[in-house]
Amino acid sequence: MGGAVGRAEVRAVAPDGAKQRDAFISYSQRKNALLAKKLQRGLERLAVSRFRPMGMSVFRDVTSLPATHDLWQSIQRELARSRYLILLASPEAAASPWVAKEVDYWLRERDSEHLIIAVASGEIEWDDRAGDFDWQKTTSLPRNLAGRFTSVPLWVDLREFEEAYYSLRYPPFRAAVATIASPLRGRPKEELEHDDFRQLRFVKRLSWSGIALLVALLVLAVYGFFDANMQRREAQAQARVSASQALAARSGQLLSASPNQAAQYALYAEETRSTPDSRRALAQAVAAAPYARRRLQADADSVTDKESATRPAETDVVLSADGMTAAYRSAFDQVQGVRLYNVRSAQQSRVVRAEGTPRALSRDGRVLATEVYLNRVQLWDTRTGKLLRTMATGHTEDLPRVGQGLYALVLSPDGRWVGASHYTPEGEAFVVVWSASDGSEITRLPVSDARVGIGFSADGSRMTLVDKGRREVREFLTDSASWEAARSLPGMSGGTAEALRYSEVLLFDGARKALTRTSRRAEVWDLERRRRMAVRLLGPYEDMTVAEGKGTFLVGGKDGTVRLYDTALRPGTTLGRLVRPASTIAMSADGTQITVASYGGELNLFTTGVRRGQHVTLGYKDFTFGDLTPDGRMAVRRTEGRTEFWDPGTSRRLGRIPYANLSVNLEDTAYTLSGNKRYVGMQSMEGGEDQGRFDIWDLRTGKRTNCGGATDGVSSGLIRPGVFFLPGDRYVVGYWNGAVEVLDTRTCTRGKVTEGSDNLALSGDRRTLVILNGDGVDTWRWDGDQAFEHVAHTTLPTETQPMSISVDHEGKQAAFSDWESHVYVVRLASGRRVRATGYLPHDTSDVAFSRDGKLLFQGFMTENTRGVRVLDAGSGDQLDVWTTDPPAGSVQPNEGMQVVPGPANDILTLGPDHKIVRRTAGVEAWHDLLCGLVSQPLPARERDRYLEGLDVKAPCR
């Protein structure tokens, strides 16, 4: 075979010096062009390695003729170079003059022995008797072949092949090609086929190996891609965790110095990655800003373009005496006019298109007094936004700049009178009183300096004037429009040469007391007794105000701190801190509502009420430990001969019944409220016996229903009984007769769920029942019809001694405390347990989940105080400890802290002050609460410092 191949590669040289060809294909281009092409390709590649040159040279006119004008001469040259002529026979070839000329040339110059016929179509028949083709039947051969053969020539039949099978991969076609190639190669047909098959198999193996290699490389590439992505995600996740922890740590550092900034960093920590550290930061931020209610306006990014050489741009805010309405205007505000806010809802109520600066509000907030250039006063109706009256001091056209502006401006409580102090162009100072009804001037009194104090009595019958320069006090009687004689104030500090803005006199307690202030000193005077009550040197501060009715002082420091002082000027609670110093501060008459505005336009609401929560006033009744039901839907109050039921969510009384048990909602009494709040189920024991009753009461009528009766095995020792209405209110589940049973309230029949129980609890959605037994926790799911299905059992650690149990709202996890005060959280589906860490008080109460299930709250008591532990339900980490009001010294023995789920995103606590307090609880709820305080994003420099390369959105977007 090697010699044949060698002979094929080293061709004989034709007379003209060109290399000799193996074959020349003669065919009809109109009919058999594709077959000629595939035949040429097959002859050249048959039994030849795909990585070596072609095995023979075959001429086909379309691919082999040079571009010349003498076509027949080129064809003759190629015929002369070829060893064989392959005639692709067909009727079209037989009729082709070119094919006839090629055959004539071949027969004339060569011989018929080197002519091979391949029949593409038509008929071909040999006549043995004639020794020639049967030209009556043969249609595929040209006539010039007649009489040219002495014996049957070799022909190969290609008529059975369709175009789709013109390939060496098709064995019959390969056999036909091998038949033609055999004489050309000088090798047997079988040998050619075998070699071609071997080459084909080798190529297939090589192809599959290549494919396998490519697949392997692809798999490696895909694996590398996903592995790189995974590593990148893990790296990014770790970066987010690290950034979150750093932000949380920064929040902790700012807690005491700047609660608002601490809240901002805590929010970003939670937004970056929710971790126990970020949730701890949220809890501590909520605890650190207990008096902050809401931030109504954010601080400006820059104040440079608003500051002047003498003083920064101001922001002004006033508050009505009833604490319901606030008016705000700032140089940084884009709104033209004065913004009015409803303090209770912390929402903007209106924009009054008023000129000037807000200076005072009437007690009910219905009239707004603004100061307008030059030394004029305008009164506006806050309900309609209309201008009511304009009052002028007169002779103000030539006022020097130092004399511009009203220094004191007050409205009488009844809204009838307006008082103000001012300068004239001549430098004189006056106090003027106008009638608010028509704007007429009632009186004008010269004073030593415009920096005087004026204020009305509670009934508006008199206006008190304190003149520091003259050290005297006198009163104006509004009914008679007359001034009483002045009385001296011996020892009062006189006027100073310092900036006017620090010299001020504030009247309070019905204008019977006064606070005089400078930049560093404050004095409290009793005006009736004309004696000093208190004096104190203060640190640098910007503004100061006083609660008119209570006498509590509020100071805004230069560092932005807002702090309370008592009537003796002793420092008290720090309410919060602003980004920039306070420009103006205002308090309601009772001192409970506070508005603070900064030199950067920031506006905050504070309250001096209950820390971290609001009292739930249920008919102004007192409640004691245990009076809240475990689900938080009712507060139960027992009086002599009857029991009252209250709704903590609406503060309304649900009803009462003419029955009072010896103990209420403790070890031997349980209550449950129907979903429609009409019926109360009550399970009770009398005198500590192991027998009792279960009854359902109609709260509309105060009478028992027909479904109820005596029960046995209700309680054992200190184990608390449990009873709950199920969805739809038809069924009640409880512990009766030594088993957990379901009561059908329509038929008053019971069906057993399971034997025995130490304690049971129901999820907030009333569908998952968790039963605490001696060896673990069993979880049952209500089918929505009439039965419970057992879904899981979790074994508890042998060392635990469970005391009580609580279930989250969706029934996914349960928590229980034991006699050692430990808290365990159990994932009901997986059985995973987590034990809480951190401070461990010696005596704890029940636990309650937040609505989102992320947090756990545990009441506790120590020898001197009561409080709530805040725990992370996911990790068991202690996030914070909240001590409760009142102060520890007033705590009574044996009064614990009850904690139960509350309405919406709240929990309810009932402590030693006998008040029910509603406290914001939950990560989402804290997020919303803190966003109300600090809604602006982190400064760009701080964001780059902690979050560079991380895509973290602003948490309060």
Side-chain angles (χ1 to χ4, degrees):
M1 182 180 69
V5 173
R7 288 191 300 271
E9 290 180 346
V10 185
R11 304 294 178 188
V13 179
D16 59 0
K19 186 179 289 185
Q20 194 175 32
R21 292 187 183 277
D22 292 291
F24 183 107
I25 300 177
S26 179
Y27 65 102
S28 169
Q29 289 188 10
R30 183 172 62 86
K31 178 67 175 178
N32 303 123
L34 178 60
L35 180 56
K37 177 181 178 181
K38 295 297 183 181
L39 182 58
Q40 177 193 20
R41 179 67 176 170
L43 291 171
E44 291 174 342
R45 301 305 315 178
L46 182 69
V48 178
S49 171
R50 273 39 174 186
F51 307 102
R52 298 184 64 182
M54 294 181 294
M56 59 177 64
S57 175
V58 178
F59 174 85
R60 182 170 60 90
D61 53 3
V62 173
T63 60
S64 305
L65 280 178
T68 177
H69 63 283
D70 192 348
L71 179 59
W72 174 243
Q73 184 178 359
S74 298
I75 291 175
Q76 281 183 314
R77 187 179 303 111
E78 294 300 330
L79 284 169
R81 294 173 56 194
S82 301
R83 294 191 298 115
Y84 281 85
L85 175 66
I86 301 174
L87 174 61
L88 201 55
S90 66
E92 291 76 14
S96 171
W98 284 98
V99 172
K101 290 180 66 175
E102 292 165 355
V103 171
D104 279 341
Y105 178 87
W106 188 263
L107 293 176
R108 183 175 66 252
E109 299 294 332
R110 308 295 289 272
D111 56 54
S112 61
E113 291 181 0
H114 289 82
L115 189 150
I116 302 172
I117 300 173
V119 182
S121 60
E123 298 295 331
I124 185 170
E125 189 76 28
W126 180 262
D127 187 351
D128 290 327
R129 287 183 299 176
D132 196 2
F133 292 101
D134 186 347
W135 295 102
Q136 298 296 322
K137 298 179 179 180
T138 299
T139 61
S140 59
L141 297 176
R143 280 286 183 170
N144 53 3
L145 285 177
R148 293 291 185 170
F149 296 94
T150 59
S151 61
V152 180
L154 172 66
W155 77 71
V156 179
D157 196 344
L158 302 179
R159 291 175 292 184
E160 59 178 299
F161 303 116
E162 298 179 1
E163 291 184 3
Y165 298 101
Y166 294 167
S167 171
L168 292 181
R169 296 180 180 273
Y170 184 54
F173 185 78
R174 183 174 65 240
V177 172
T179 302
I180 299 173
S182 178
L184 274 63
R185 295 279 190 90
R187 297 175 57 191
K189 167 188 172 183
E190 293 77 9
E191 185 177 316
L192 289 174
E193 284 193 272
H194 174 74
D195 286 351
D196 189 75
F197 177 75
R198 187 178 61 180
Q199 292 296 332
L200 180 62
R201 184 170 58 183
F202 173 75
V203 170
K204 284 185 177 180
R205 287 177 178 174
L206 193 61
S207 300
W208 281 113
S209 298
I211 292 173
L213 179 61
L214 290 176
V215 170
L217 292 175
L218 179 62
V219 170
L220 289 175
V222 171
Y223 173 79
F225 173 77
F226 282 105
D227 184 61
N229 278 346
M230 184 178 299
Q231 292 184 15
R232 184 167 57 253
R233 287 196 298 268
E234 289 177 355
Q236 191 174 45
Q238 185 58 46
R240 295 180 79 92
V241 170
S242 299
S244 177
Q245 292 172 340
L247 289 163
R250 180 58 177 159
S251 175
Q253 295 171 353
L254 294 169
L255 283 173
S256 59
S258 179
N260 284 356
Q261 284 185 292
Q264 187 179 45
Y265 281 90
L267 287 166
Y268 267 91
E270 179 66 18
E271 183 72 21
T272 303
R273 175 70 69 186
S274 182
T275 66
D277 290 327
S278 69
R279 294 190 283 273
R280 177 183 292 107
L282 289 177
Q284 292 176 344
V286 170
Y291 302 104
R293 285 194 55 201
R294 190 166 184 85
R295 175 166 293 178
L296 299 176
Q297 293 289 332
D299 194 79
D301 292 333
S302 174
V303 299
T304 303
D305 59 340
K306 297 290 184 180
E307 292 180 332
S308 65
T310 57
R311 63 188 301 175
E314 291 191 356
T315 299
D316 297 281
V317 63
V318 292
L319 183 66
S320 61
D322 63 5
M324 298 298 294
T325 305
Y328 161 91
R329 186 166 190 169
S330 173
F332 300 94
D333 196 2
Q334 301 299 318
V335 171
Q336 298 300 313
V338 177
R339 294 181 186 264
L340 297 179
Y341 290 93
N342 184 313
V343 175
R344 175 174 294 177
S345 64
Q347 299 293 327
Q348 180 176 302
S349 58
R350 174 184 291 276
V351 174
V352 177
R353 304 298 177 182
E355 300 179 41
T357 302
R359 293 295 306 273
L361 279 164
S362 62
R363 177 171 292 273
D364 58 7
R366 293 186 177 182
V367 177
L368 169 67
T370 62
E371 178 186 346
V372 186
Y373 183 83
L374 284 161
N375 291 6
R376 291 178 295 152
V377 178
Q378 290 185 342
L379 300 182
W380 297 82
D381 188 326
T382 59
R383 293 170 298 179
T384 63
K386 294 182 178 180
L387 177 64
L388 300 175
R389 208 81 58 222
T390 299
M391 294 159 285
T393 60
H395 309 290
T396 59
E397 290 79 6
D398 299 322
L399 268 176
R401 185 169 182 79
V402 70
Q404 295 177 15
L406 303 173
Y407 285 85
L409 194 155
V410 292
L411 295 177
S412 65
D414 56 12
R416 296 174 57 194
W417 315 102
V418 181
S421 65
H422 69 94
Y423 285 107
T424 65
E426 293 77 18
E428 299 176 319
F430 287 90
V431 169
V432 62
V433 178
W434 295 280
S435 170
S437 60
D438 57 9
S440 61
E441 184 177 303
I442 303 301
T443 185
R444 177 180 290 270
L445 182 72
V447 290
S448 63
D449 193 286
R451 293 170 289 182
V452 297
I454 53 177
F456 285 93
S457 62
D459 58 3
S461 62
R462 59 183 172 85
M463 187 187 79
T464 301
L465 164 67
V466 176
D467 189 333
K468 283 201 310 178
R470 295 176 179 175
R471 295 183 176 87
E472 65 181 23
V473 58
R474 65 189 305 174
E475 293 181 344
F476 173 74
L477 304 179
T478 56
D479 289 342
S480 61
S482 62
W483 287 94
E484 292 188 339
R487 295 173 293 162
S488 66
L489 293 171
M492 176 175 282
S493 300
T496 65
E498 65 180 341
L500 298 179
R501 59 195 289 244
Y502 293 121
S503 182
E504 188 176 16
V505 181
L506 302 174
L507 274 60
F508 62 98
D509 191 17
R512 292 191 292 267
K513 295 182 176 64
L515 169 73
T516 66
R517 57 160 288 203
T518 64
S519 61
R520 291 181 176 271
R521 178 185 175 94
E523 298 178 353
V524 179
W525 282 79
D526 186 327
L527 301 179
E528 293 183 337
R529 299 180 180 181
R530 292 182 292 163
R531 65 182 180 87
R532 185 187 292 114
M533 298 173 59
V535 60
R536 188 175 186 86
L537 292 175
L538 302 176
Y541 67 95
E542 287 294 316
D543 199 20
M544 191 171 187
T545 192
V546 61
E548 178 186 335
K550 191 176 181 181
T552 301
F553 306 113
L554 186 68
V555 175
K558 285 184 176 294
D559 60 354
T561 302
V562 181
R563 195 170 191 180
L564 287 172
Y565 288 76
D566 63 12
T567 54
L569 290 177
R570 291 172 299 198
T573 304
T574 298
L575 299 182
R577 175 174 287 182
L578 281 67
V579 177
R580 291 185 173 87
S583 171
T584 53
I585 53 182
M587 296 178 71
S588 60
D590 61 5
T592 60
Q593 305 299 328
I594 296 168
T595 56
V596 184
S598 78
Y599 283 117
E602 181 179 2
L603 176 61
N604 287 284
L605 296 182
F606 295 90
T607 180
T608 58
V610 179
R611 299 182 66 181
R612 293 184 293 275
Q614 296 179 338
H615 277 149
V616 180
T617 55
L618 304 181
Y620 300 97
K621 310 287 185 181
D622 286 342
F623 294 84
T624 59
F625 178 83
D627 285 354
L628 286 170
T629 56
D631 60 5
R633 300 184 68 225
M634 277 196 307
V636 183
R637 187 172 185 273
R638 177 178 58 86
T639 60
E640 186 176 355
R642 68 172 185 251
T643 302
E644 295 178 342
F645 301 95
W646 294 81
D647 183 353
T650 62
S651 299
R652 296 178 179 177
R653 193 178 74 173
L654 297 169
R656 66 183 183 182
I657 60 175
Y659 178 87
N661 195 38
L662 293 178
S663 63
V664 181
N665 208 36
L666 290 174
E667 289 82 11
D668 50 10
T669 306
Y671 297 92
T672 182
L673 179 66
S674 64
N676 59 12
K677 300 182 181 181
R678 177 175 178 179
Y679 298 98
V680 165
M682 184 179 72
Q683 178 177 299
S684 60
M685 292 179 59
E686 298 289 351
E689 299 293 335
D690 196 20
Q691 294 182 347
R693 287 189 58 85
F694 175 75
D695 293 291
I696 296 178
W697 295 78
D698 188 334
L699 294 179
R700 293 182 182 177
T701 63
K703 297 180 180 180
R704 282 191 180 101
T705 65
N706 295 328
C707 192
T711 57
D712 295 326
V714 174
S715 179
S716 175
L718 294 179
I719 300 302
R720 182 177 304 175
V723 58
F724 308 96
F725 271 102
L726 295 173
D729 295 335
R730 175 175 175 177
Y731 297 96
V732 177
V733 62
Y735 179 62
W736 301 294
N737 304 319
V740 179
E741 298 178 335
V742 174
L743 169 67
D744 187 335
T745 60
R746 295 183 184 177
T747 62
C748 282
T749 58
R750 293 191 181 104
K752 184 182 296 184
V753 177
T754 183
E755 292 284 352
S757 171
D758 290 347
N759 211 331
L760 64 157
L762 195 69
S763 62
D765 61 8
R766 300 194 293 164
R767 296 184 179 278
T768 302
L769 179 68
V770 177
I771 301 174
L772 185 62
N773 291 310
D775 63 339
V777 175
D778 285 286
T779 306
W780 299 76
R781 189 72 175 171
W782 180 245
D783 65 3
D785 187 11
Q786 59 182 0
F788 277 98
E789 177 186 0
H790 186 265
V791 294
H793 175 80
T794 302
T795 303
L796 299 179
T798 56
E799 68 273 10
T800 61
Q801 296 179 334
M803 183 173 62
S804 62
I805 192 165
S806 177
V807 189
D808 69 356
H809 183 78
E810 296 182 356
K812 295 181 178 180
Q813 52 189 345
F816 66 89
S817 58
D818 64 11
W819 289 103
E820 297 295 331
S821 299
H822 292 293
V823 177
Y824 290 85
V825 180
V826 179
R827 305 290 182 271
L828 298 177
S830 64
R832 176 174 173 265
R833 299 188 305 267
V834 173
R835 193 174 85 168
T837 61
Y839 169 74
L840 194 64
H842 68 81
D843 196 356
T844 56
S845 306
D846 292 346
V847 291
F849 284 96
S850 60
R851 182 63 173 256
D852 57 19
K854 296 180 180 179
L855 304 174
L856 195 62
F857 298 86
Q858 180 189 30
F860 72 88
M861 67 177 183
T862 64
E863 184 177 351
N864 298 318
T865 189
R866 305 292 185 269
V868 178
R869 281 211 302 163
V870 185
L871 305 171
D872 190 294
S875 65
D877 293 348
Q878 179 173 292
L879 304 182
D880 203 5
V881 176
W882 293 349
T883 55
T884 60
D885 297 320
S890 65
V891 174
Q892 300 298 318
N894 301 321
E895 287 186 322
M897 173 63 63
Q898 190 179 7
V899 181
V900 298
N905 291 317
D906 298 324
I907 61 168
L908 300 176
T909 61
L910 177 55
D913 59 352
H914 301 169
K915 302 296 184 184
I916 298 173
V917 179
R918 181 172 176 173
R919 302 170 188 272
T920 302
V923 174
E924 287 80 5
W926 287 348
H927 176 279
D928 294 341
L929 175 65
L930 295 178
C931 276
L933 304 180
V934 282
S935 58
Q936 70 266 35
L938 272 178
R941 186 174 66 178
E942 290 296 285
R943 183 180 178 88
D944 292 341
R945 176 184 177 186
Y946 291 97
L947 300 173
E948 186 176 5
L950 298 178
D951 182 16
V952 178
K953 298 179 180 178
C956 302
R957 52 190 181 277

